[in-house]
Amino acid sequence: HESAAINRMYGFYDDCKRRYNVKLWKGFTDVFNCLPAAATIGEKILCMHGGISPDLSDLRHIRDVTRPTEVPDQGLLCDLLWADPEFDIEGWTESDRGVSYLFGQNEVTRFLNLMDMDLIIRAHQVMERGYEFFADRQLVTLFSAPNYCAEFDNDAAIMNIDENLQCSFAIIPAIIKGPRTFL
């Protein structure tokens, strides 16, 4: 996941330790600390784990993030991993997670116009149907783990992007343990 501390909190450490050994978990952590913070597809789609940042006014800023590194408590790398969209706000506000920001639909539009891009693809939040659009389909949140942490009945989604940058989704249904309703 995003950092060693988060991996411990959400069970990845325990899983590695129980099934294999702590050395394997440390190896994964080293790899995670080297992964790129974001990627672009066809110069029109930006992908990251979390979200955009008030510190991001040029994509070169992402290239300037030093890797490998631990995730800091604030700043561009923190936001790329942990910022979240929020329907009920405009602009930026502190996240109730205690780290990074929440950003409104207006910030997605502003960012995409500034960067001359069309779409942001992110993860970081459980989505009941595996994906959810935001800001007039300018941002999509994908969640690729069905039945997250064995605590949710969420589906998972995988996005396919063709050579013309047309997007489609494959849904991995949750294993339903009880009654389920969608509103």
Side-chain angles (χ1 to χ4, degrees):
H1 210 105
E2 308 99 15
S3 71
I6 297 297
N7 282 328
R8 280 183 174 264
M9 185 183 314
Y10 288 96
F12 186 60
Y13 171 83
D14 292 333
D15 227 14
C16 288
K17 183 178 175 185
R18 183 178 64 253
R19 294 178 189 207
Y20 304 101
N21 55 53
V22 173
K23 184 177 179 183
L24 178 70
W25 175 79
K26 287 181 181 178
F28 271 110
T29 298
D30 290 342
V31 170
F32 293 152
N33 288 340
C34 294
L35 290 173
T40 57
I41 300 171
E43 299 180 6
K44 289 294 184 179
I45 300 173
L46 180 63
C47 308
M48 77 280 282
H49 179 76
I52 56 178
S53 173
D55 296 334
L56 184 57
S57 58
D58 189 311
L59 292 180
R60 288 178 292 199
H61 296 153
I62 298 171
R63 288 187 211 109
D64 294 342
V65 172
T66 303
R67 300 296 271 172
T69 189
E70 293 286 324
V71 180
D73 292 334
Q74 59 186 7
L76 178 59
L77 181 57
C78 175
D79 300 336
L80 289 169
L81 295 175
W82 291 328
D84 293 313
E86 178 61 46
F87 283 99
D88 299 328
I89 68 163
E90 284 198 24
W92 300 92
T93 190
E94 288 186 18
S95 174
D96 51 4
R97 293 179 190 262
V99 65
S100 192
Y101 295 96
L102 300 173
F103 54 90
Q105 297 180 60
N106 63 314
E107 291 300 330
V108 172
T109 300
R110 183 199 61 75
F111 178 84
L112 289 173
N113 288 336
L114 177 68
M115 301 298 167
D116 190 30
M117 299 187 96
D118 296 332
L119 180 65
I120 298 167
I121 303 172
R122 63 176 300 273
H124 190 54
Q125 291 176 294
V126 176
M127 295 290 122
E128 189 171 16
R129 293 186 175 116
Y131 72 97
E132 181 177 275
F133 284 104
F134 180 77
D136 294 323
R137 300 173 74 96
Q138 295 177 103
L139 180 148
V140 63
T141 299
L142 290 175
F143 202 78
S144 61
N147 298 99
Y148 182 60
C149 289
E151 294 179 21
F152 296 87
D153 287 338
N154 66 289
D155 295 334
I158 299 169
M159 179 184 258
N160 298 301
I161 303 171
D162 72 17
E163 62 277 358
N164 297 313
L165 303 182
Q166 295 298 307
C167 303
S168 61
F169 298 92
I171 304 300
I172 303 165
I175 298 170
I176 306 304
K177 298 179 188 91
R180 182 178 188 187
T181 60
F182 289 110
L183 300 177

